[in-house]
Amino acid sequence: MRILITGGTGYIGSHTAVELLNSGYEVLIIDNLSNSNAGVADKIEKITGRKPIFSKTDLCDRSGLKEYFRENKNIDAVIHFAAFKAVGESVQKPLMYYSNNISGMINLLEEMSENKIENIVYSSSCTVYGEADKLPVTEDSPVKKAESPYGFTKQVGEQMLFDASKVSDLHSVILRYFNPTGAHDSALIGELPVGIPNNLVPYITQTAIGEREVLTVNGNDYDTPDGTNIRDYIHVVDLAKAHLSALDRILSRKSSEKAEVFNLGTGKGNSVMEVIKSFEKVSNKKLNYRIGPRREGDVVSIYSETKKANEVLGWKAERDIDNMMLTSWNWQKAISGYKK
Ligand code: UD1
């Protein structure tokens, strides 16, 4: 089977490419390299011993995309990751987010349709649930008004798939990720944040290695046991493996629904302080952190109900927070050339 991964040199895309290649799929990658580099394709080859077929292609370049599909035939399914993902940046540059994430996806879906590619696995986010009324959140929990343009683009992406599936041969699996973190055990691939990281774990590892001075904990006066926000952190390798289950389900037409949604989380919430403690334990380093004010737009707590993914996809997250911290730390040391 030939699978096209958009955004395949990015963080989750590269880990998914590894799992697919290890399972015998032929992998094609397109990426515009806006937040990654072509060297990632070599790292994927180093890990798996198999080469993904890489092309620098931008989903927003319609004629380039057309050309791509003219030259690359017999694609059985697309896994669509390519998108901008920084929440704060999306508030500052909403049109850039709408243009890239929504127009890019429209181009992709139209080209898929013209080339009779009927299967798509879509990378969505738990951000669609906003501040959930009931925890854990199930796939039937209401989708709330988006808190950011980034969140809105994920909701629109989902809606395009629901609508297109009704009137065409398109089959979709929509995966709502909780908080992806960790890196590959080889420390050859991982997250490469550009500039100052927004997300907690890269901020922790960059602080520990000395690239940032101090981590600010965004508020410790929330209504949670230790006062800090609770999230469902999930290891990126676990997440990548879920895409194998999703592909299997969609390619073998196991579902009666043409567009299906799954939450991908561990089902366990960890507070910011618990994440810091886990990091300190596995790295054997004291982290320099201070308590700061709340960050605007943060939900208090969110974690996933995992029953549907466990039972229907036959997938379960296996790695715990300590392993996420350990592999994130090993990755940080690798990219910073840490010698100690
Ligand atoms: C955000 C997005 C989510 C996206 C994810 C990964 C929202 C609501 N969620 O999740 O859609 O998939 O990023 O890109 O926008 N924290 C600190 N100090 C820091 C950084 C973070 O205390 O320096 C805290 C945050 O306040 C939060 C937790 O750590 O409580 C996790 O934050 P973060 O890693 O940014 O992820 P989310 O905001 O949960």
Side-chain angles (χ1 to χ4, degrees):
M1 288 279 177
R2 251 161 96 81
I3 311 298
L4 171 64
I5 305 183
T6 75
T9 50
Y11 177 41
I12 307 174
S14 58
H15 289 80
T16 301
V18 165
E19 297 305 321
L20 260 60
L21 288 163
N22 280 341
S23 301
Y25 286 98
E26 189 180 345
V27 172
L28 292 84
I29 290 176
I30 57 177
D31 201 301
N32 68 0
L33 303 180
S34 64
N35 195 23
S36 62
N37 61 73
V40 174
D42 301 330
K43 301 287 173 56
I44 293 169
E45 185 182 1
K46 202 164 172 193
I47 295 170
T48 62
R50 297 186 54 209
K51 207 181 175 60
I53 304 161
F54 174 74
S55 162
K56 181 171 187 268
T57 298
D58 191 332
L59 294 180
C60 292
D61 168 13
R62 186 61 185 263
S63 57
L65 195 60
K66 220 174 238 322
E67 180 71 24
Y68 180 83
F69 281 108
R70 207 176 296 130
E71 286 171 3
N72 294 277
K73 296 287 180 200
N74 303 320
I75 292 170
D76 296 291
V78 174
I79 307 183
H80 177 42
F81 293 103
F84 292 153
K85 60 165 187 175
V87 177
E89 183 185 53
S90 79
V91 176
Q92 297 307 318
K93 299 175 181 169
L95 298 182
M96 187 175 101
Y97 271 66
Y98 296 142
S99 167
N100 186 65
N101 294 8
I102 299 178
S103 302
M105 187 163 167
I106 293 172
N107 287 344
L108 175 67
L109 291 174
E110 288 184 342
E111 287 303 321
M112 283 175 64
S113 166
E114 278 171 29
N115 289 280
K116 312 248 171 319
I117 304 169
E118 294 174 355
N119 304 299
I120 183 167
V121 177
Y122 177 57
S123 168
S124 188
S125 166
C126 70
T127 197
V128 302
Y129 297 117
E131 182 86 65
D133 303 320
K134 255 173 64 188
L135 293 175
V137 287
T138 73
E139 288 78 357
D140 297 324
S141 297
V143 166
K144 297 274 180 72
K145 187 172 182 307
E147 304 253 0
S148 69
Y150 158 75
F152 184 65
T153 66
K154 288 293 164 193
Q155 294 182 350
V156 172
E158 290 193 357
Q159 194 61 46
M160 288 197 288
L161 296 178
F162 292 132
D163 293 341
S165 296
K166 281 185 203 145
V167 294
S168 69
D169 292 324
L170 189 69
H171 289 69
S172 351
V173 173
I174 293 164
L175 301 176
R176 292 179 180 156
Y177 311 146
F178 281 65
N179 285 57
T181 185
H184 195 262
D185 291 319
S186 63
L188 287 169
I189 53 171
E191 191 173 10
L192 270 174
V194 176
I196 301 173
N198 296 301
N199 295 121
L200 178 63
V201 179
Y203 211 107
I204 289 178
T205 58
Q206 288 192 8
T207 305
I209 208 130
E211 289 175 9
R212 310 267 154 227
E213 200 184 321
V214 56
L215 169 84
T216 302
V217 174
N218 299 327
N220 70 348
D221 57 352
Y222 285 100
D223 184 17
T224 60
D226 66 18
T228 62
N229 291 145
I230 290 173
R231 298 285 182 274
D232 187 339
Y233 297 91
I234 174 162
H235 199 291
V236 66
V237 171
D238 277 332
L239 202 59
K241 287 180 177 162
H243 294 75
L244 288 177
S245 310
L247 267 183
D248 176 53
R249 185 164 174 81
I250 203 170
L251 291 171
S252 54
R253 293 281 180 270
K254 282 186 183 148
S255 172
S256 55
E257 287 170 60
K258 284 174 71 188
E260 272 189 308
V261 177
F262 294 96
N263 284 348
L264 296 182
T266 64
K268 182 175 165 25
N270 281 114
S271 71
V272 174
M273 283 314 301
E274 284 171 341
V275 174
I276 293 173
K277 281 188 194 128
S278 165
F279 176 80
E280 288 185 327
K281 184 175 81 182
V282 301
S283 67
N284 211 11
K285 279 182 95 75
K286 185 90 198 71
L287 189 74
N288 188 23
Y289 69 88
R290 66 176 187 95
I291 307 297
R294 292 181 176 196
R295 182 173 74 175
E296 207 185 324
D298 267 337
V299 301
V300 180
S301 296
I302 188 160
Y303 51 93
S304 173
E305 169 62 68
T306 60
K307 201 164 179 268
K308 188 175 177 193
N310 296 165
E311 291 177 1
V312 181
L313 278 186
W315 165 91
K316 196 172 188 314
E318 285 167 359
R319 297 176 182 230
D320 64 11
I321 192 74
D322 287 350
N323 185 268
M324 295 177 219
M325 293 305 112
L326 182 66
T327 53
S328 296
W329 180 228
N330 288 341
W331 165 243
Q332 181 69 59
K333 287 191 286 189
I335 53 176
S336 301
Y338 189 72
K339 299 280 185 305
K340 282 174 227 165

